[in-house]
Amino acid sequence: MKSAVVVFPASNCDRDAAVALEQVTGQKPAMVWHGESELPDVDVVVLPGGFAHGDYLRCGAMAALSAVMRDIKAKAEKGLTVLGICNGFQVLTEAGMLPGALMRNARLKFVCRPVGIDVQESQSVFSRKYESGQRISFPVANGIGNYFADAETLDRLEGEGRVVFRYADDDNPNGSLRNIAGILNEKRNVLGLMPHPERVCDPLLGGTDGRALFESLFESLS
Amino acid sequence: MTAQSTVTPEIVREHGISEEEYARIRKLLGHAPNLVELGVFSVMWSEHCSYKSTRAHLRRLPTKAPWVLQGPGENAGVIDIGDGDVAVFKMESHNHPSFIEPYQGAATGVGGIMRDVFTMGARPVAMMNALRFGAPEHEKTRHLVAGVVAGIGGYGNCMGVPTVGGEVNFHPSYNGNILVNAMCVGLARADRIFKSAAKGAGNPVVYIGSKTGRDGIHGATMASAEFSEDSGEKRPTVQVGDPFTEKLLLEACLELMATDAIIAIQDMGAAGLTSSSAEMASKGGSGIELDLDRVPQRETGMTAYEMLLSESQERMLAVLKPGREAEAERIFGKWELDFAVIGTTTNTGRMLVRHQGRIVADIPVHALSEEAPVYQRPVIHPLARSDDTSFDPARPLFDSLLKLIGSPDLCSRRWIWEQYDWSVMADTVQWPGGDAAVVRVHGANKALAITTDVTPRYCKADPFEGAKQAVAEAWRNLSAVGARPLAITDNLNFGNPEKPEIMGEISACIDGIAEASRVLEFPVVSGNCSLYNETSGEAILPTPAIGGVGLLENIHRMATIAFRREGDAIILIGETKGHLGQSLYLREIERSESGAAPAVNLESERRNGDFVRTLIETGQVDTAHDISDGGLLVALAEMAMAGGIGAFIPNLDRDPIPFLFGEDQGRYLISVPGSRSEQLMKDALNAGLRPGFVGTTRGDRIEVQGVGSITLAALRRAHEGWFPRYMRADELPPTN
Amino acid sequence: MKARVFVTLKNGVLDPQGKAIGHALNSLGFPGVGEVRQGKVIDLEIAERDESKARASVEQMCEKLLANTVIEKYEIEISP
Amino acid sequence: MKARVFVTLKNGVLDPQGKAIGHALNSLGFPGVGEVRQGKVIDLEIAERDESKARASVEQMCEKLLANTVIEKYEIEISP
Ligand SMILES: Nc1ncnc2c1ncn2[C@@H]1O[C@H](COP(=O)(O)OP(=O)(O)O)[C@@H](O)[C@H]1O
Ligand SMILES: [Mg+2]
């Protein structure tokens, strides 16, 4: 599996994503600067967490307009697998590659803590190594992670099995509607999620629940 | 304002320069300074930059050890952590700005200390923050807590550097002067350290980062506003942080540092362009010429005075090898940062500044640095207090325990640290809540342990013992996770040094730090002083905050505070006399801040710590916790809550209150499987220690035989309850 | 010319900040504060001299960047 | 009545967001965009019927909560 990680100005989980990918695939991902007009030939591209462009104006708004995103959008329509984590999720919604928007946390504060996550959907290249209904734990670290979409969109997402991850009922850290933590696009080749699987791929760091996500990609794409 | 405008005695006074100092300036210059030169002297000779009140005393601090590669004198200290790796760290205060504007004050404090670290060539890998606020019931406190915490998070989170720990105290003496001390730890390679000595003449001086605005120009400009071009709305002096630009600056600097184009580099911190250029020239034994017309400016009509004194954030000054400008400009262009060649180094030993074709300042560099005043201020040596510490023996033990762990100074800080990204960079092995934060050296099997400590009430009662205790507690916290303590940074926060009693506190605290750091081989490699923390004559408690860094050679041999197994023997290392003086028990339960501060016996401190560390290093112990604020029972409760396992304490043969709540120093609680406890006790005795069997881990409650018990659930409710309840005040969390 | 752009949340999109402000105002003892909504105001200086051309280009800026039309609406004011 | 409050940074105070927006607009190829400043707009519904009383109380809200007067200034618009 060949992978790439996009680096926007003030991305800051790009290295973490690269380390997790290398651990699982044994291959270093290509690190791609946001200004590149073309993505190298890869099977999966990760839009990492961070504060692209300082999160100024709106999280992900400026990053969504960068040169490399044009190419990623085009290739995603042809089936390229795209994973957006945290800030990467925000970029995907701003780029119109995923529905809805991420808004300020209901408690208006940045929150960093492990959160109980329910896997809703194991039928995807991102989650096949999980069991549907499995309870796992990922850390969140966001101030703008409160997922919003209108009722029809939410119904469709649920109806079409595109809600892959949900916050455990009593553990929604940011007020996301219907406890949504991660969703797929219609083609199911683009996933955006707020929590950080890449930070729990090593027992020393308090868990390994994130590995299965990268292993799912590995299994699906190699 | 024109450079030529005459300098009146009022203006001199407004610049905080005494008559003697002014006479000295005239002598050094050979003529009266113009306003620009006066401004330059006023910042370079200020307490903040010159350390004129403390420098003579700071010389008493031990700063050397085989593993110290850079002690005080550079932007941050550097220590060897093996395999060619070094740790680079420093702590710095942003107290006053944080009181004026808590969010931006704290945020820019974080940005400033990060620049001190990456200007040395290190990538910041961990942030700590030591905070002191006024009484919780004071009307300003809640707002200040909310703003400071949001500001630290807002900046550090965007930088992608985990904030992994710190400390927080509340005390009325900080009502008008909160303390915000931020510490940054970075990693670099020993052969890639960058310094600030601008050696050699004819080298280009380049300006990097954000444009210069009228931010943070010291109060003097306010006073001399009549000299400025625009007399519009009163000029704000509050600096606003731009963590986005700082993140770009970090990456761009590290990219440039990977080349060999840099001769010297220095962040523009306090007194911005002035102190950075003067310090670099002075350390390099060279001179420097600046052309202010080339300085990237954010506002129009800025005067030379304003540009030289501006404290706009996210700026750096570097001296490059001749001919390397284009290469550097390409890198900063990629990161979309301002870059300008604004001058050159000379061999004249003078700082020569041009603006609009005129020379606006011409000052011998040594006059700004070596010749800066150093004062031996009068000192009244403080008397250690030793009044009585009576208490009511009839008070129910567990009520007191609940009160204590639910009190502002002992309750859980979760409300704070959940607002900090402590797991970014995916190397945080121990996050807030333990004795020391543990951050893995990326890609290696070793880790840094980091802590900040000081107990101001001890320092007030006995500055010498209190400062010793601060260093000892830092050393103890590092040992408790299994790390070898290596070095410290200090942040000396005090009142007005012109008062002999305050100067006495400063001097005694420095002696205390010096003694502990000598005996524990825990040298001072960097630090910072913040004086004049007074409001209407009331000084803060003496607060010499200590930041300690240690090394875990094997990340898999580490201890945490959490009980891990039922049936473990809980063993006390270190002697317990039951010292209640200055204890939180007296303060919170008996409402008296009385008694002598606990004394630290540095020899037994060392013996106990080395013993515990060895147990951890050899894999015999994986649960350890030092005993500090609140005493033994509080430490035990923390271990139980962290592990979700209770404890049974058999009949006490000791007077319970002093034994369980006394704050004797140099103590640890460890737990080992019952089967191994006897051998361990023997080993301890052979090592000349006095180990004590405290009890056994078990169940969902802490039980003291013959006294009663309390459930972990009840303890947690009290421990986690206070902060959220206090901050649920109907106040908006500050956002930028 | 100068352009002032208001970016506010569409009706029906919940506004946590507005809610918090309203709550805070009430508890600060300001009576009769009803709904509160918070938005952004963006002031731009633009070279364009012709008002309608200016408005047109600012409108494009809004569509492309300044507003997220999934959740936000915008108004534009042009002044010399 | 309705009150609209503009909270903007005082002149001379660095506005990182405005700076970044201006930069983005330029790189999106919008010509001649000069300085950009971002502020907040807060819309309130208030029970008070009397315009001057309303203005007075909104002014208090700004001083107490809505604006951080150390770095921000505010304007108030009252409408029925
Ligand atoms: N209390 C102290 N103990 C030891 N070193 C100190 C202390 N205060 C300042 N220093 C050292 O003096 C130098 C100047 O301090 P400071 O002005 O705070 O650095 P910077 O200008 O980089 O912020 C630094 O090398 C710092 O480590
Ligand atoms: Mg510095």
Side-chain angles (χ1 to χ4, degrees), chain A residues 9-13 15-16 19 33-34 51-54 56 104 107-114 139 141 198-199 202 204-206, chain B residues 157-160 242-244 247-248 334-335 415 418-429 431 440 442 555-556 732-733 735:
Chain A
S11 289
N12 63 31
C13 305
R15 189 189 75 181
D16 306 0
V19 168
W33 184 237
H34 73 124
F51 287 67
H53 299 274
Y56 296 151
R104 183 169 292 282
R107 285 192 213 83
L108 303 186
K109 286 200 219 65
F110 187 97
V111 55
C112 178
R113 63 177 176 87
E198 80 279 19
R199 295 187 192 181
D202 180 340
L204 266 179
L205 307 180
Chain B
N157 297 347
C158 179
M159 288 297 289
D242 180 359
F244 170 54
K247 170 69 171 165
L248 302 184
K334 166 191 165 188
W335 292 97
W415 184 91
E418 280 191 351
Q419 295 184 59
Y420 301 150
D421 189 339
W422 45 263
S423 60
V424 64
M425 291 183 98
D427 281 314
T428 306
V429 180
W431 42 93
R440 177 173 53 189
H442 191 64
I555 189 84
H556 299 281
L732 287 179
T735 53

Side-chain angles (χ1 to χ4, degrees), chain B residues 118-132:
Chain B
F118 71 76
T119 196
M120 304 278 303
R123 175 173 290 280
V125 296
M127 292 297 301
M128 304 281 287
N129 54 104
L131 311 177
R132 322 280 160 188

Side-chain angles (χ1 to χ4, degrees), chain A residues 205-219:
Chain A
L205 307 180
T208 55
D209 285 354
R211 280 191 82 99
L213 188 147
F214 297 96
E215 285 162 358
S216 299
L217 286 169
F218 190 53
E219 203 174 82

Side-chain angles (χ1 to χ4, degrees), chain D residues 27-45:
Chain D
S27 52
L28 280 176
F30 287 101
V33 176
E35 201 190 11
V36 181
R37 307 276 288 175
Q38 174 173 327
K40 296 187 200 118
V41 54
I42 299 160
D43 291 306
L44 310 125
E45 283 173 359

Side-chain angles (χ1 to χ4, degrees), chain B residues 378-536:
Chain B
V379 166
I380 293 180
H381 286 291
L383 300 172
R385 87 185 260 180
S386 62
D387 46 342
D388 93 305
T389 59
S390 58
F391 61 93
D392 170 1
R395 289 190 197 277
L397 215 64
F398 289 113
D399 295 6
S400 302
L401 176 60
L402 272 183
K403 264 220 199 75
L404 273 172
I405 62 162
S407 66
D409 275 4
L410 273 184
C411 68
S412 163
R413 274 68 178 106
R414 181 182 305 276
W415 184 91
I416 291 178
W417 56 259
E418 280 191 351
Q419 295 184 59
Y420 301 150
D421 189 339
W422 45 263
S423 60
V424 64
M425 291 183 98
D427 281 314
T428 306
V429 180
Q430 279 198 51
W431 42 93
D435 282 330
V438 176
V439 175
R440 177 173 53 189
V441 174
H442 191 64
N445 188 47
K446 60 187 175 184
L448 296 175
I450 311 164
T451 180
T452 66
D453 297 282
V454 62
T455 311
R457 63 182 189 279
Y458 294 170
C459 297
K460 182 64 185 176
D462 186 338
F464 178 76
E465 281 300 322
K468 258 172 71 187
Q469 191 277 342
V471 175
E473 186 173 346
W475 191 86
R476 204 178 300 150
N477 277 316
L478 299 176
S479 300
V481 299
R484 188 155 42 85
L486 290 176
I488 59 179
T489 180
D490 64 8
N491 202 144
L492 305 182
N493 307 275
F494 291 90
N496 178 353
E498 293 157 42
K499 295 183 180 169
E501 318 70 50
I502 300 288
M503 208 51 233
E505 288 178 352
I506 297 173
S507 175
C509 280
I510 288 175
D511 288 333
I513 294 171
E515 166 130 342
S517 116
R518 189 176 312 108
V519 175
L520 299 172
E521 291 181 280
F522 204 24
V524 177
V525 298
S526 67
N528 172 249
C529 298
S530 169
L531 307 184
Y532 298 96
N533 293 290
E534 291 198 8
T535 303
S536 50

Side-chain angles (χ1 to χ4, degrees), chain A residues 51-101:
Chain A
F51 287 67
H53 299 274
D55 273 1
Y56 296 151
L57 185 62
R58 285 185 321 280
C59 304
M62 298 177 194
L65 296 166
S66 55
V68 75
M69 282 307 295
R70 255 176 262 124
D71 191 45
I72 289 175
K73 205 167 170 177
K75 289 185 166 135
E77 269 145 30
K78 298 201 197 69
L80 172 69
T81 305
V82 183
L83 170 63
I85 301 169
C86 198
N87 193 216
F89 186 10
Q90 295 160 340
V91 174
L92 288 170
T93 56
E94 283 285 342
M97 295 170 66
L98 287 172

